Amino acid sequence: MNSPSHSGSDRDEDDGIFLEDDEIDQEIVVDDQDLPDVEGDEYSDGEVIDETDDSLHIFTGHTGELYTVACSPIDATLVATGGGDDKGFVWGIGGDWAFELQGHKDSISSLAFSTDGQLLASGSFDGYVQVWDISSRNLKCQLEGPAEGIEWIRWHPRGHLVLAGSEDCTVWMWNADKSTHLATFAGHGGSVTCGDFTPDGKLICTGSDDATMRIWSPKSAESIHVVRGHPYHTEGLTCLSIGLDSVLALTGSKDGSVHAVNITTGKVVTSLTAHTDSVECVAFAASSSFAATGGMDGKLIIWDLQHSSPRCTCEHEEGVTCLSWLGASRFVATGSVDGKVRIWDSLAGACVKTLSGHADAIQSLAISANGDYLVSAALDHTARAFEIAEFK
């Protein structure tokens, strides 16, 4: 905007005087302490700061960036968060209490509740997995083995078996009840960035920075299939999702591609190409005939898997870091680098709600057991809970 100009010819433009003494009614002395603090040029560019906060609860117990959040599968208000301050916390939505997960010596990268909600596992870049008893709030055991940091943690769908992928190219499985090591899955040539049990519990799928996915037998720890080469990914895998019927695995990569693999045969059955930057998150819908993918190109894409084509593309201002389907509904939630959580109608491709409050990139999303709350963890050192019951 151009500044308004002064046009009076009877004024000297260089003397800086615009009022004569007899024109001044009152002189007000302002104390420096009454002036607002302005540091540098933070606001000098005219940027409008969004101070809207739509959250119903803010957890501020952390002193560093947050990387992961998990919701209890049985208690709708119970949440666990972890991050770069080497700490984890379990806390309640709407409550004023929290208990700290102490003992890790590096950032907590992953948290996961067991399927029955009795135990919580925390994985850290210190290479250890800790298992916590939720009812007593005590440390049940510390599981060790990996030589480098833990990338992710998953529980077996019907038991207290913990699976963890490591930066040291291996995957480890333990029995949390007995605190015993069961198997080590070796074969990847890079950090194991994603993985999970199949929902029927019979197989394990893992993805690596070596651009391969491996399908393993949990009992023998042997690799049944290695998925690699054309037409699969050309760069490291970043994310993985397995359909509820345990038939297909969907993987995303730094190369911007998404591929669906038949878990039984180890063959690529479809390739989904529409993203133009790294794919950061993928998830099957409850029906497994649709899937959602999010990338650093700012796109959420809803895919019709039967036709291997995009159903709709939902544009964000910045990259999409995480996503979650809201139960069995048609709605998908995304977290973005711009600090916003958005709810999308996957049928219409429209953003139906934007949830503000965070001041930095969102790293992780979790949905409460009853579907009433969405909890987000961000680099601004906070976790926020939002009410989403209207989208169930």
Side-chain angles (χ1 to χ4, degrees):
M1 180 186 295
N2 293 326
S3 300
S5 60
H6 297 282
S7 58
S9 60
D10 56 342
R11 302 289 187 188
D12 184 346
E13 292 182 359
D14 295 324
D15 63 11
I17 299 175
F18 300 101
L19 289 175
E20 301 293 348
D21 289 344
D22 58 359
E23 294 177 316
I24 300 175
D25 293 327
Q26 183 180 5
E27 183 175 355
I28 300 174
V29 178
V30 179
D31 192 311
D32 286 346
Q33 293 183 347
D34 295 332
L35 296 174
D37 293 328
V38 178
E39 297 181 1
D41 297 322
E42 184 177 0
Y43 304 107
S44 63
D45 59 359
E47 181 182 356
V48 177
I49 305 300
D50 183 5
E51 295 182 351
T52 304
D53 194 341
D54 300 309
S55 63
L56 62 88
H57 184 96
I58 307 172
F59 181 72
T60 58
H62 289 277
T63 57
E65 299 175 341
L66 270 68
Y67 302 141
T68 180
V69 58
C71 287
S72 165
I74 58 172
D75 185 337
T77 63
L78 195 65
V79 180
T81 50
D85 57 2
D86 307 349
K87 297 177 181 178
F89 289 95
V90 176
W91 48 275
I93 298 173
D96 57 359
W97 61 273
F99 77 85
E100 185 178 341
L101 311 177
Q102 298 180 337
H104 283 299
K105 294 178 174 58
D106 205 338
S107 300
I108 293 180
S109 58
S110 183
L111 292 163
F113 284 93
S114 59
T115 308
D116 59 12
Q118 294 178 4
L119 302 177
L120 172 69
S122 59
S124 168
F125 288 138
D126 64 10
Y128 293 98
V129 173
Q130 293 184 339
V131 178
W132 302 82
D133 183 283
I134 293 301
S135 60
S136 67
R137 303 186 181 184
N138 291 327
L139 177 65
K140 180 178 176 65
C141 58
Q142 178 166 282
L143 307 173
E144 57 185 62
E148 295 183 48
I150 303 298
E151 290 271 16
W152 51 270
I153 293 175
R154 297 290 185 271
W155 289 89
H156 191 277
R158 288 186 297 278
H160 287 171
L161 304 183
V162 187
L163 191 70
S166 172
E167 294 175 314
D168 71 358
C169 312
T170 63
V171 179
W172 293 67
M173 185 170 66
W174 301 270
N175 183 319
D177 288 331
K178 298 179 180 180
S179 306
T180 55
H181 168 248
L182 296 177
T184 302
F185 304 85
H188 280 298
S191 178
V192 186
T193 54
C194 50
D196 205 348
F197 291 100
T198 53
D200 62 13
K202 295 179 180 179
L203 295 171
I204 292 169
C205 298
T206 60
S208 168
D209 208 32
D210 65 5
T212 73
M213 182 178 78
R214 287 179 177 258
I215 300 167
W216 310 83
S217 164
K219 293 182 179 179
S220 67
E222 293 180 353
S223 180
I224 301 171
H225 297 293
V226 182
V227 188
R228 62 184 165 201
H230 183 78
Y232 203 52
H233 302 293
T234 58
E235 295 184 49
L237 277 67
T238 56
C239 48
L240 177 151
S241 177
I242 301 174
L244 292 177
D245 56 8
S246 300
V247 173
L248 294 179
L250 198 66
T251 56
S253 166
K254 295 176 183 177
D255 65 11
S257 67
V258 177
H259 297 281
V261 176
N262 183 295
I263 295 171
T264 303
T265 66
K267 301 296 184 182
V268 175
V269 296
T270 186
S271 298
L272 310 175
T273 54
H275 286 287
T276 57
D277 204 341
S278 176
V279 175
E280 296 295 305
C281 43
V282 298
F284 280 101
S287 67
S288 293
S289 58
F290 293 94
T293 61
M296 293 309 291
D297 56 2
K299 295 176 181 177
L300 163 71
I301 302 178
I302 308 300
W303 297 91
D304 179 343
L305 296 179
Q306 293 178 336
H307 298 91
S308 301
S309 61
R311 180 185 180 91
C312 55
T313 300
C314 310
E315 299 284 352
H316 296 66
E317 294 180 8
E318 297 188 55
V320 178
T321 55
C322 46
L323 66 84
S324 179
W325 288 90
L326 303 187
S329 77
R330 68 180 189 272
F331 299 105
V332 182
T334 57
S336 173
V337 174
D338 67 8
K340 299 286 194 296
V341 174
R342 294 175 176 85
I343 310 294
W344 301 86
D345 185 328
S346 67
L347 299 181
C351 181
V352 293
K353 194 157 193 174
T354 299
L355 302 171
S356 300
H358 284 293
D360 208 340
I362 295 170
Q363 299 294 290
S364 181
L365 296 176
I367 310 300
S368 67
N370 62 0
D372 284 351
Y373 308 109
L374 177 151
V375 187
S376 53
L379 298 183
D380 64 2
H381 302 191
T382 73
R384 279 171 156 78
F386 301 93
E387 196 163 9
I388 57 166
E390 63 188 287
F391 300 108
K392 287 199 290 187

